[in-house]
Amino acid sequence: MWRRAIVDAALMMLALMDANYLKRIVDAELSKLLGASGAVLIEGAKASGKTATALRAASSGVMLDVDDNARQMASLEPAMVLAGNTPRLIDEWQIEPSIWNHVRREADRRSHPGQFILTGSAVPADDASRHTGAGRFTRLRMRPLSLYEAGRSSGEISLGGLLDGRGQRAERSELSIASAAELICAGGWPGNIGKPLSAALRVNRGYVDEICRADLSRVSGKRRDPIKVERLVRSLARNIATPVAASTLAADVGGSGSGNGLKRDTAAEYLEDLERLMVVENQPAWGEHLRSRATLRTTPVRHFVDPSIAVAALRASPESLLRDLQFLGFLFESMAVRDLRIYAQAADARVYHYREQDGLEVDAIVEAADGHWAAFEIKLGERRIAEGAKSLRRLAERARGSGHEPPAALAVITLNGYGFTDGNEVGIIPIGALGP
């Protein structure tokens, strides 16, 4: 009876959500993984839509974040929590980390794919999943909505097609700089769709406040000073889309010699906590296979999972961003990287950056598992397109000179205009035409 009530509640929630559900790129990925793995773990920041997506694929489920009875039962008699029609959803599993091993063992016992879906918005302090899930679980990263998923991009130019070397064209895309500022401020959070921008801004600020006040302490298992966390998040926001070092962030908070500052090691711990909450997602360096005389910079480029977090941390608005176009350019780059990551994951690819000490920088390198790669510069203003194209050509020369395979595509991602790509030349991709 108890189990049936939980199943009915989950399916009722699904019915209510279905009418307003925005199709996600990971829907197809989840379906494939359920056909191949005993359990799938959907990971991502809070409010990115994991539960709604999981419920559409699940036949029953339990919500550990809202069901006190289920949490108690997970520790006392976990078999009852795992019983139900499959795929069985265990939502926010990290609230009761011991359930992980029970799911693993039950998936082994049943020996059939598609038994469980777990969702998680934080990595538990002991990170047990890192050591015991191999061969049983497949991980699926879920991020906020891309512009394509939110209906703000036509998707005429496919990232998967670019990696395959296909030339593509797109009709003129018109996205004003004011509209871009509004999209960045609202972010890709599904819950903000249809809300007035003023309401979305308040929700996003509350999201950041909760990260600083409680979430970091919860995920680390240690008390974190919310004032210092807030200062660090604000410093990250000011340095978004840059390879800022932890020591620089610590100094920006107040300096190790100040009673109100952070030591470098403490700042590094806070940054690790933010990554475990999946609200910070660094962009690693590319080029370990590119034999070059140039010395590469390996510091990751800092990004939030959605640039709206940076806006909220600084309590900015579209109007204030339009008064600081340089900072808006960094936020635009971060939004483009967010979308590239979503599209790249669907193509079994990853997103990197490239930086040399001699000054050559390329904003995004997308490399597929088969070795094919494409390079992108991200420029808010049309005046800087030529500068971005020059950097891309220099990188292509580096690749040819090192024996690396040539890029499948080179393109500048910009705000608007016509889109075209050609494997032999630098293309132009308006962000409102880019898709999976």
Side-chain angles (χ1 to χ4, degrees):
M1 188 71 168
W2 173 83
R3 294 196 301 269
R4 183 63 188 170
I6 294 174
V7 173
D8 289 346
L11 294 180
M12 184 182 299
M13 186 183 299
L14 173 58
L16 291 172
M17 289 178 172
D18 193 65
N20 298 317
Y21 183 79
L22 289 173
K23 186 176 180 182
R24 307 299 296 270
I25 293 170
V26 296
D27 289 341
E29 295 177 65
L30 177 57
S31 178
K32 290 178 182 177
L33 293 177
L34 285 171
S37 179
V40 177
L41 171 59
I42 305 176
E43 295 182 305
K46 288 192 305 184
S48 53
K50 300 182 300 298
T51 301
T53 291
L55 278 170
R56 287 174 59 85
S59 297
S60 67
V62 57
M63 315 297 169
L64 294 182
D65 58 335
V66 296
D67 193 330
D68 293 337
N69 194 32
R71 284 199 298 274
Q72 295 177 32
M73 193 61 69
S75 60
L76 294 173
E77 195 170 346
M80 293 188 69
V81 175
L82 302 186
N85 295 332
T86 59
R88 172 79 165 165
L89 169 62
I90 312 295
D91 197 44
E92 297 295 346
W93 75 273
Q94 78 282 349
I95 292 173
E96 186 54 54
S98 63
I99 199 69
W100 178 274
N101 281 334
H102 295 287
V103 172
R104 174 179 60 84
R105 289 170 185 153
E106 187 64 13
D108 279 349
R109 187 187 69 81
R110 297 180 188 180
S111 298
H112 291 292
Q115 296 301 302
F116 297 101
I117 304 171
L118 277 66
T119 70
S121 55
V123 179
D126 60 4
D127 198 12
S129 66
R130 187 184 302 275
H131 305 292
T132 62
R136 291 89 167 182
F137 287 84
T138 303
R139 294 173 184 264
L140 178 61
R141 189 66 177 261
M142 191 164 182
R143 301 173 177 87
L145 294 160
S146 63
L147 293 184
Y148 175 74
E149 291 168 306
R152 302 304 300 264
S153 171
S154 67
E156 291 173 90
I157 295 183
S158 158
L159 179 60
L162 292 176
L163 291 170
D164 287 340
R166 299 200 305 267
Q168 301 176 68
R169 298 287 184 272
E171 296 293 328
R172 184 172 181 82
S173 175
E174 294 290 351
L175 181 64
S176 70
I177 194 167
S179 296
E182 291 180 357
L183 287 171
I184 288 167
C185 287
W189 310 105
N192 283 345
I193 297 296
K195 286 182 179 176
L197 180 59
S198 59
L201 289 173
R202 286 195 298 271
V203 169
N204 294 348
R205 289 168 186 164
Y207 188 102
V208 172
D209 289 345
E210 190 64 17
I211 290 170
C212 299
R213 186 184 64 83
D215 287 352
L216 227 66
S217 295
R218 175 176 53 81
V219 75
S220 67
K222 303 176 183 178
R223 186 186 178 281
R224 301 303 194 192
D225 184 333
I227 294 176
K228 291 181 179 179
V229 173
E230 180 182 3
R231 289 174 179 168
L232 179 66
V233 170
R234 287 173 63 85
S235 181
L236 269 173
R238 287 191 292 270
N239 290 282
I240 193 168
T242 71
V244 61
S247 57
T248 303
L249 294 170
D252 191 32
V253 168
S256 59
S258 167
N260 293 323
L262 275 181
K263 294 181 179 179
R264 184 196 177 284
D265 290 347
T266 305
E269 286 183 12
Y270 283 18
L271 290 169
E272 288 177 7
D273 292 343
L274 289 167
E275 288 185 61
R276 288 171 55 199
L277 280 171
M278 290 171 271
V279 297
V280 164
E281 187 172 7
N282 292 328
Q283 186 181 357
W286 181 82
E288 66 274 15
H289 303 302
L290 190 62
R291 297 187 297 277
S292 172
R293 294 178 182 176
T295 302
L296 301 181
R297 296 177 178 176
T298 58
T299 304
V301 172
R302 309 281 185 179
H303 293 280
F304 291 104
V305 71
D306 192 282
S308 64
I309 296 177
V311 174
L314 298 173
R315 303 188 70 80
S317 66
E319 294 75 21
S320 66
L321 295 183
L322 291 172
R323 293 193 294 270
D324 187 350
L325 294 181
Q326 182 179 17
F327 183 55
L328 180 57
F330 285 117
L331 291 168
F332 179 74
E333 178 181 334
S334 194
M335 181 171 70
V337 168
R338 177 202 67 192
D339 285 8
L340 283 171
R341 281 175 164 151
I342 294 168
Y343 308 149
Q345 181 173 298
D348 195 18
R350 294 183 178 179
V351 180
Y352 303 89
H353 74 84
Y354 184 88
R355 279 169 167 77
E356 296 179 359
Q357 288 189 357
D358 71 355
L360 175 59
E361 299 183 1
V362 173
D363 295 325
I365 308 289
V366 179
E367 184 174 46
D370 62 8
H372 291 157
W373 61 283
F376 303 93
E377 278 279 84
I378 302 164
K379 303 299 181 186
L380 180 62
E382 292 185 9
R383 296 180 184 178
R384 299 191 63 196
I385 290 176
E387 173 191 332
K390 182 179 178 181
S391 295
L392 292 168
R393 292 188 187 100
R394 286 180 64 194
L395 178 63
E397 286 295 327
R398 288 277 198 277
R400 279 192 288 270
S402 70
H404 200 280
E405 71 171 81
L410 301 170
V412 179
I413 298 173
T414 189
L415 188 60
N416 49 40
Y418 292 101
F420 67 90
T421 64
D422 186 329
N424 298 318
E425 189 48 76
V426 177
I428 303 293
I429 305 175
I431 197 167
L434 185 61

